[in-house]
């Protein structure tokens, strides 16, 4: 029996595809990659019996990066990155995707790729093939098949299985070119800018002064609008406001002046006097027309992002996350598409029939089926995927999240609106003449609401109602007023407007636009203010203005749109990968070198906006080199700055930092700091110099004293470590000496949240050199307060293991959670046995012996 491996892009997609193709008759097993199970069933492939294995990856399997020797920012000249060696690395090594695919590919005869049907999906196809083909029985391309689908429905999946194609190598290469170009350009500019400006200024409030070929033009749009606002000069103008009373005791109606407004007060006053002296307004003409408001075109990604931002108050990044959630669960079709045109043979009845089951729009959908579905308006066909369409009905309880539901509700209503009748209304314009001046009154009366029944926010507004008037009717002038107003500056760009500009200028793709907008917010280049408007920060403004002084192309959309056109030529097979990439890299390299040579032009802007590092922050601790006080700069990135030595030392993000008892590091004489994440978080000491320049090979940059392996330091992991962490398995539970009186152990892995609360009434706690005979964890020496001691006979001192000692175990919170994990492993087989404080072997009790043992 032939064996067929089928690979999807996400685990949830793999499960849905397997259920549909196996008709529910599948078996699921776990794999070495905990994230990606395998679903197995028997069926037919190419007319013969076959054994199917359906699994997935988790997005990109590989990522591009520089060779390891180029990853040190201090030792590598950013200009070298344009020619540096790049390598493909596993995107997420913890998932073990490569080993998992290699194992599953053994004994496989065919592979069917169910990756998303876009350029990124094609790129992942070839990432999978590079891993799988060498392990297959007959690893040739004729045994490789590509499924093309747009939704996770029975009909689409079965149709894709019957019409298998091949993956598109050219589209994959275009993605490779984009990834390599963005890596080289982004890293070179970002490293240079970050090192140059963060070394000079203390209040940039950004951890990374980044540049991106798409990100920076996106920021450029926002700053351009900001500049228009700042340079705007309001001008006064005057309008003539008139109200007349209709005949036969009719209502009063407001009229619009045909001249609209005048910018000269003297002339406006002449017209005021002219009209004010007349008491009668004569109806010159009454014109009524039946007009049509067209139903919307089919929904594509960009329009969905625009509407979600402007109407649903959802950012583009959040919108795409919700859309992907709905797609992977089969509620909507593929959400990344540029097409707004349905094919002539598109089956509208199936999705509409699904929607008739809803108590919200079911009645409207049923009426459409009875009265006949209208043909959707013609739009643009980009040749990628059909427009975004609801594929099955769902309730709010089934979909869950409020954001997911609101987006799904809009997609459904938009779809129903595209196949509904147009909205029709009567527009009546009445012209009045007062002393030769023309005024108008326009009213609109709905005739057939059409699609606005399902999209009421687009309904025709009746406006003011006026009685039926005829030509020659005379109305009394009730009010004439000259009103002064001022022209207003444009407002900051909304996300919706920015998306429109990006699409128009070819900056990014429908899939990447949300990422670029999200990035300029995360980099603190813009702030999202009310109405989801993007207000540039000082840093964002100075960057764009600085690029304008040096090389305006760096922040203009034209350079990126030109690159995108070249990348599309690769995808279409009209240009060679190497030629396009080489040309683009050379172009940006020349721009980078010119930028570095003239960066002082940008620096002059920074000088008048930001505070020099020497004048930033407040004194906090002494430098171990010059013994002068260093200043703590709290704005991102947090760091210490020594004005005498002119050196900076990075500190942990999002922590409270203060001096720790004026104690010093025994290695470098720097004063220690205590870093805390709050009363419910973790705290630990660190030496600023060791944190940035690890003194031992087994220490990583960014390690505090709780990870230091110094054998004699009273603040190190060697002295205060108790046992390996059972939660993250990578860390060590270390006594927090600054946690008194609420003593606790905290995991020294910065990503682990494990905290073990100890004795509240202890006066002093120290880690003993003795090891528990039961579990081989280090014991604690505890001195309790006299009046609150839990020991018998009023004793205050006790030494024991917090897990095995009867007295201590009852005083430790979260004790059960830890002991449950430990007890399952059995004595001698659990993690931590023999590991001491994470060093790999038990430490000698005598401190001098420890020191000798460490260095020997």
């Amino acid at each position: 029996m032939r064996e067929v491996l089928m690979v999807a892009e996400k685990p949830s997609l793999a499960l849905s595809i397997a259920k549909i193709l196996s008709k529910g008759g599948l078996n699921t097993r776990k794999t070495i990659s905990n994230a990606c199970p395998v679903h197995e069933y028997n069926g037919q492939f190419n007319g013969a019996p076959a054994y199917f294995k359906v699994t997935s990856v988790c997005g990109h399997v590989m990522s591009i990066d520089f060779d390891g020797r180029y990853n040190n920012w201090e030792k590598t000249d950013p200009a070298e990155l344009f020619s540096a060696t790049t390598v493909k690395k596993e995107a997420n090594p913890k998932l073990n995707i490569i080993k998992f695919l290699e194992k599953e590919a053994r004994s496989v005869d065919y592979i069917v790729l169910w990756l998303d049907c876009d350029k990124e999906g094609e790129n992942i196809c070839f990432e999978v093939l590079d891993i799988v083909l060498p392990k297959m029985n007959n690893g040739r391309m004729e045994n490789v098949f590509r499924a093309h689908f747009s939704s996770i429905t029975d009909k689409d999946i079965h149709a894709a299985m019957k019409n298998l194609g091949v993956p598109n190598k050219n589209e994959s290469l275009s993605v490779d070119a984009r990834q390599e170009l963005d890596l080289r350009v982004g890293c070179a500019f970002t490293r240079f800018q970050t090192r140059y400006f963060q070394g000079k200024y203390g209040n940039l409030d950004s951890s990374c002064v980044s540049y991106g070929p798409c990100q920076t033009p996106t920021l450029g749009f926002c700053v351009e609008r900001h500049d228009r606002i700042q340079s705007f000069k309001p001008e006064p103008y005057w309008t003539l406001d008139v109200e007349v009373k209709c005949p036969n005791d009719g209502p009063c109606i407001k009229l619009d002046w045909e001249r609209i407004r005048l910018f000269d007060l003297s002339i406006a006053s002449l017209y005021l006097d002219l009209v004010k002296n007349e008491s009668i307004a004569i109806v010159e003409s009454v014109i009524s027309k039946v007009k049509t408001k067209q139903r919307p075109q089919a929904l594509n990604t960009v329009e969905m992002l625009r509407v979600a931002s402007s109407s649903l108050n959802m950012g583009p990044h959040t919108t795409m996350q919700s859309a992907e959630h709905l797609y992977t669960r089969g509620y909507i079709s593929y959400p990344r598409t540029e097409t707004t045109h349905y094919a002539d043979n598109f089956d509208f009845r199936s999705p509409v029939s699904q929607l008739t089951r809803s108590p919200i729009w079911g009645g409207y959908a049923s009426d459409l089926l009875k009265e006949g579905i209208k043909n959707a308006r013609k739009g643009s066909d980009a040749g990628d995927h059909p427009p975004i369409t609801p594929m099955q009905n769902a309730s709010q309880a089934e979909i869950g999240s409020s954001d997911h539901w609101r987006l799904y509700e809009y997609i459904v209503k938009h779809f129903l609106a595209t196949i509904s009748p147009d909205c029709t209304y009567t527009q009546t314009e009445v012209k009045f003449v007062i002393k030769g001046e023309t005024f108008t009154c326009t009213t609109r009366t709905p005739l057939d609401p059409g699609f606005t029944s399902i999209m009421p926010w687009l309904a025709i507004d009746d406006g003011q109602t006026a009685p039926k008037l005829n030509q020659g009717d005379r109305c009394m002038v009730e009010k004439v007023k000259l009103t002064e107003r001022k022209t207003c500056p444009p407002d900051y760009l909304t996300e919706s407007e920015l998306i429109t500009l990006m699409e128009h200028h070819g900056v990014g793709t429908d899939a990447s636009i949300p990422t670029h907008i999200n990035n300029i917010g995360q980099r603190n280049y813009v702030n999202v203010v009310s109405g989801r408007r993007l207000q540039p920060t000082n840093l964002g403004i100075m960057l764009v203005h600085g690029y304008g002084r040096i090389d305006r192309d760096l922040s203009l959309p034209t350079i990126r749109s030109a690159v995108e056109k070249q990348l599309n030529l690769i995808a279409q097979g009209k240009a060679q990968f190497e030629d396009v990439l080489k040309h683009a890299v050379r172009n940006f390299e020349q721009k980078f070198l010119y930028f570095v040579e003239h960066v002082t032009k940008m620096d002059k802007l920074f000088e008048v906006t930001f505070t020099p590092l020497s004048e930033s922050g407040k004194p906090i601790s002494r430098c171990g080199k010059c013994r002068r006080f260093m200043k703590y700069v709290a704005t991102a990135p947090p760091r210490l700055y020594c004005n005498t030595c002119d050196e900076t030392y990075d500190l942990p993000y999002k922590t409270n930092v203060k001096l720790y008892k004026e104690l010093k590091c025994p290695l470098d004489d720097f004063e220690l700091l205590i870093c805390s994440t709050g009363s419910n978080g973790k705290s630990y000491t660190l030496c600023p110099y060791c944190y940035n320049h690890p003194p031992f090979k087994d220490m990583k940059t960014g390690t505090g004293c709780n990870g230091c392996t110094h054998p004699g330091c009273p603040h190190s992991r060697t002295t205060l470590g108790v046992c390996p962490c059972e939660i993250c398995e990578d860390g060590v539970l270390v006594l927090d000496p600054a946690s008194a009186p609420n003593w606790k152990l905290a995991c020294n892995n910065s990503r682990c949240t494990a905290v073990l609360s100890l004795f509240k009434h202890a006066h002093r706690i120290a880690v003993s050199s003795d090891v528990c005979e039961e579990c081989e964890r280090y014991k604690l020496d505890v001195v309790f307060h006299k009046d609150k001691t839990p020991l018998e006979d009023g004793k205050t001192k006790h030494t024991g293991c917090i897990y095995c000692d009867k007295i201590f175990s009852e005083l430790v919170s979260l004790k059960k959670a830890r002991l449950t994990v430990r007890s399952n492993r059995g004595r001698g087989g659990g993690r931590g046995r023999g590991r001491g404080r994470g060093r790999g072997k038990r430490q000698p009790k005598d401190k001098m012996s420890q020191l000798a043992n460490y260095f020997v």
Side-chain angles (χ1 to χ4, degrees):
M1 183 181 290
R2 297 289 188 179
E3 191 169 312
V4 182
L5 176 65
M6 303 205 291
V7 182
E9 191 159 324
K10 296 180 180 67
S12 56
L13 280 177
L15 177 60
S16 299
I17 291 168
K19 283 183 177 179
I20 292 171
L21 294 177
S22 68
K23 299 180 180 178
L26 56 87
N27 293 315
T28 300
R29 60 177 169 85
K30 292 184 178 180
T31 66
I32 59 174
S33 174
N34 294 327
C36 304
V38 173
H39 314 287
E40 303 168 324
Y41 68 95
N42 292 318
Q44 294 283 320
F45 187 77
N46 287 344
Y51 165 66
F52 290 88
K53 297 193 295 184
V54 186
T55 187
S56 73
V57 292
C58 294
H60 275 283
V61 183
M62 310 299 291
S63 63
I64 188 171
D65 198 358
F66 293 111
D67 189 82
R69 64 180 182 272
Y70 295 104
N71 288 333
N72 189 314
W73 285 36
E74 300 298 328
K75 297 180 180 179
T76 303
D77 182 352
E80 296 179 23
L81 300 180
F82 288 97
S83 57
T85 306
T86 59
V87 293
K88 287 277 190 176
K89 296 181 179 179
E90 189 169 1
N92 195 338
K94 290 186 178 181
L95 296 180
N96 288 321
I97 297 294
I98 293 179
K99 291 181 180 179
F100 156 64
L101 289 176
E102 288 176 340
K103 182 178 179 181
E104 295 300 330
R106 293 170 189 154
S107 74
V108 165
D109 300 292
Y110 303 100
I111 181 169
V112 182
L113 300 162
W114 290 83
L115 287 308
D116 288 351
C117 298
D118 56 13
K119 292 177 183 176
E120 295 291 336
E122 298 299 328
N123 189 254
I124 301 174
C125 282
F126 285 92
E127 291 177 355
V128 172
L129 291 177
D130 288 342
I131 299 167
V132 168
L133 284 180
K135 303 294 181 180
M136 288 173 56
N137 285 339
N138 191 357
R140 295 183 298 181
M141 286 303 295
E142 53 260 36
N143 297 323
V144 175
F145 299 90
R146 175 73 159 106
H148 295 92
F149 59 101
S150 296
S151 62
I152 314 300
T153 61
D154 291 14
K155 181 180 177 181
D156 259 30
I157 296 302
H158 284 296
M161 194 66 183
K162 290 178 182 178
N163 300 281
L164 295 174
V166 294
N168 190 319
K169 181 66 173 178
N170 289 329
E171 289 190 355
S172 175
L173 287 174
S174 72
V175 174
D176 284 336
R178 180 187 292 111
Q179 288 177 346
E180 184 171 339
L181 178 64
D182 288 348
L183 175 71
R184 294 185 186 280
V185 175
C187 286
F189 276 92
T190 298
R191 289 189 187 185
F192 175 76
Q193 290 180 168
T194 301
R195 290 174 57 192
Y196 185 90
F197 291 114
Q198 284 188 353
K200 297 188 68 174
Y201 303 101
N203 59 337
L204 297 180
D205 201 19
S206 180
S207 58
C208 181
V209 187
S210 64
Y211 175 89
C214 281
Q215 169 194 299
T216 304
T218 302
L219 173 63
F221 290 127
C222 301
V223 175
E224 181 186 14
R225 176 62 65 87
H226 167 83
D227 292 342
R228 287 175 56 193
I229 294 171
Q230 295 301 311
S231 62
F232 184 85
K233 295 181 180 179
E235 291 185 68
Y237 67 89
W238 289 265
T239 61
L240 204 55
D241 299 332
V242 176
E243 288 185 15
V244 298
K245 186 174 179 61
C246 296
N248 301 321
D249 203 22
C252 286
I253 56 175
K254 294 180 179 179
L255 307 184
D256 299 318
W257 193 17
E258 194 174 47
R259 299 182 188 274
I260 303 175
R261 60 185 178 180
L262 292 174
F263 288 89
D264 190 314
L265 177 59
S266 59
I267 297 176
S269 299
L270 289 176
Y271 284 111
L272 173 65
D273 295 337
L274 183 68
V275 174
K276 205 170 185 180
N277 293 329
E278 181 61 48
S279 60
I280 299 296
I282 301 174
V283 177
E284 184 180 58
S285 63
V286 179
I287 302 174
S288 293
K289 293 181 180 179
V290 175
K291 293 199 169 186
T292 300
K293 185 174 185 177
Q294 285 189 311
R295 56 192 178 278
Q297 286 185 328
L299 186 65
N300 66 1
T301 305
V302 171
E303 181 63 20
M304 177 183 70
L305 295 175
R306 276 198 291 253
V307 172
S309 176
S310 60
S311 301
L312 305 181
N313 197 31
M314 292 171 60
H317 191 66
T318 303
T319 301
M320 285 311 302
Q321 288 179 331
S322 294
E324 288 173 4
H325 173 88
L326 296 172
Y327 164 66
T328 55
R329 283 153 182 77
Y331 295 126
I332 65 172
S333 62
Y334 191 62
R336 291 191 176 98
T337 176
E338 298 176 15
T339 297
T340 58
H341 176 73
Y342 283 108
D344 294 338
N345 60 349
F346 187 86
D347 180 16
F348 289 104
R349 297 192 69 86
S350 294
V352 175
S353 298
Q354 286 275 342
L355 298 175
T356 57
R357 305 171 188 172
S358 169
I360 302 174
W361 45 72
Y364 188 89
S366 299
D367 291 342
L368 276 180
L369 291 175
K370 291 177 185 176
E371 298 171 5
I373 295 174
K374 300 292 183 182
N375 291 328
R377 285 174 56 195
K378 289 185 178 181
S380 62
D381 185 358
D384 48 0
H385 290 276
I388 303 171
T389 306
M391 304 311 299
Q392 59 175 295
N393 186 65
S395 64
Q396 186 170 0
E398 292 171 321
I399 288 181
S401 165
S402 171
D403 285 345
H404 299 341
W405 167 252
R406 290 190 297 128
L407 184 63
Y408 173 75
E409 183 180 28
Y410 174 76
I411 291 171
V412 168
K413 292 184 176 181
H414 188 106
F415 168 71
L416 292 174
T418 61
I419 53 176
S420 297
D422 291 335
C423 170
T424 57
Y425 60 96
T426 301
Q427 179 172 293
T428 302
E429 183 184 72
V430 182
K431 281 190 177 182
F432 295 84
V433 176
I434 307 175
K435 272 290 184 179
E437 281 302 295
T438 303
F439 297 84
T440 60
C441 175
T442 303
T443 60
R444 296 186 295 179
T445 305
L447 296 176
D448 181 0
F451 75 93
T452 61
S453 296
I454 195 68
M455 300 178 82
W457 58 90
L458 296 178
I460 296 299
D461 183 14
D462 293 351
Q464 63 176 334
T465 57
K468 187 175 181 180
L469 296 170
N470 299 310
Q471 185 176 358
D473 284 349
R474 300 165 69 86
C475 300
M476 297 295 296
V477 177
E478 293 287 318
K479 177 183 177 183
V480 179
K481 181 182 178 183
L482 192 64
T483 304
E484 180 181 356
R485 295 183 175 90
K486 288 186 177 181
T487 55
C488 298
D491 211 335
Y492 287 106
L493 281 178
T494 63
E495 288 174 333
S496 177
E497 292 168 339
L498 179 57
I499 291 167
T500 302
L501 288 171
M502 294 175 71
E503 181 193 31
H504 177 72
H505 290 280
V507 177
T509 64
D510 54 353
S512 64
I513 283 175
T515 303
H516 302 317
I517 296 177
N518 188 57
N519 282 344
I520 61 175
Q522 288 187 334
R523 297 286 187 266
N524 195 35
Y525 295 160
V526 298
N527 291 321
V528 181
V529 296
S530 61
R532 299 210 67 84
R533 296 186 179 275
L534 302 171
Q535 182 176 2
T537 62
N538 285 338
L539 179 57
I541 295 167
M542 291 304 106
L543 281 173
V544 173
H545 288 177
Y547 295 135
R549 286 191 172 190
I550 301 171
D551 183 353
R552 188 163 174 76
D553 282 350
L554 291 173
S555 61
L556 289 178
T558 50
I559 190 170
R560 183 61 188 193
S561 59
V563 170
E564 288 293 343
K565 289 177 182 178
Q566 295 171 7
L567 294 175
N568 286 332
L569 292 178
I570 298 177
Q572 296 164 11
K574 297 179 180 179
Q576 294 297 314
F577 166 83
E578 294 81 5
D579 296 340
V580 171
L581 181 60
K582 185 178 180 180
H583 172 75
V585 170
R586 188 189 302 116
N587 184 24
F588 273 104
E589 183 179 13
Q590 295 301 317
K591 289 184 174 294
F592 173 77
L593 295 175
Y594 185 82
F595 175 78
V596 171
E597 185 179 350
H598 297 86
V599 71
T600 52
K601 294 182 179 180
M602 180 183 282
D603 193 26
K604 290 179 181 178
L605 296 176
F606 276 63
E607 285 178 351
V608 299
T609 306
F610 301 107
T611 306
L613 201 55
S614 58
E615 300 175 14
S616 302
K618 58 181 181 180
I620 186 172
S621 66
R622 291 185 183 273
C623 171
K625 296 180 180 180
C626 66
R627 302 305 302 149
R628 300 293 181 90
F629 273 101
M630 298 186 293
K631 290 185 176 181
Y632 171 49
V633 182
T635 53
R639 55 204 187 277
L640 292 178
Y641 175 67
C642 178
N643 195 22
T644 305
C645 303
D646 193 24
E647 292 186 0
T648 58
Y649 302 94
D650 292 336
L651 294 176
Y653 282 88
K654 299 180 180 179
T655 57
N656 298 319
V657 178
K658 60 182 181 181
L659 186 65
Y660 183 55
K661 301 179 180 178
E662 297 186 358
L663 298 175
K664 299 176 184 177
C665 174
L667 291 175
D668 48 50
D669 218 27
F670 275 72
E671 288 186 330
L672 300 182
L673 302 175
I674 183 80
C675 298
S676 171
T677 56
S679 58
N680 296 324
K682 297 191 292 185
S683 62
Y684 54 93
T685 58
L686 66 80
C687 164
Y689 190 86
C690 295
Y691 185 83
N692 291 269
H693 307 284
F696 305 116
K697 291 183 179 180
D698 53 355
M699 281 180 65
K700 296 180 179 179
T701 302
T703 301
C705 296
N706 59 359
C708 177
T709 53
H710 190 293
C713 178
H715 314 289
S716 69
R717 183 189 77 187
T718 309
T719 304
L720 299 178
V722 175
C723 60
C725 178
E726 301 279 359
I727 303 301
C728 69
E729 303 178 358
D730 295 325
V732 176
L733 290 178
V734 180
L735 178 66
D736 179 0
S739 59
N742 298 318
W743 297 91
K744 57 188 176 183
L745 300 178
C747 179
N748 65 355
N749 183 348
S750 60
R751 298 181 180 179
C752 179
T753 58
V755 174
L756 198 64
S757 297
L758 301 178
F759 332 105
K760 293 185 178 180
H761 305 304
H763 176 65
R764 184 173 65 252
I765 297 179
V767 180
S768 172
S769 58
D770 296 334
V771 177
C772 176
E773 297 177 356
E774 295 293 325
C775 65
E776 297 197 0
R777 294 176 170 91
Y778 279 84
K779 295 181 180 181
L780 296 182
D781 294 327
V782 183
V783 178
F784 291 98
H785 291 288
K786 293 181 180 180
D787 54 343
K788 295 183 179 180
T789 177
L791 305 177
E792 296 179 356
D793 301 327
K795 295 180 180 179
T796 58
K797 297 181 179 180
H798 186 73
T799 299
C801 172
I802 57 174
Y803 291 92
C804 305
D805 188 275
K806 291 183 179 180
I807 297 175
F808 282 175
S809 62
E810 295 178 357
L811 302 175
V812 178
S813 61
L814 302 179
K815 173 196 62 172
K816 294 182 179 179
R818 299 297 190 277
L819 290 177
T820 302
V821 177
R822 180 69 184 178
S823 62
N824 288 339
R825 291 174 179 147
R827 190 176 170 185
R831 286 185 179 87
R833 182 170 180 83
R835 289 173 59 190
R837 299 183 177 114
R839 287 276 309 277
K841 57 184 178 180
R842 187 184 303 178
Q843 296 294 315
K845 296 181 181 180
D846 180 65
K847 291 295 181 183
M848 291 306 295
S849 299
Q850 284 188 26
L851 194 64
N853 178 71
Y854 183 84
F855 287 108
V856 171

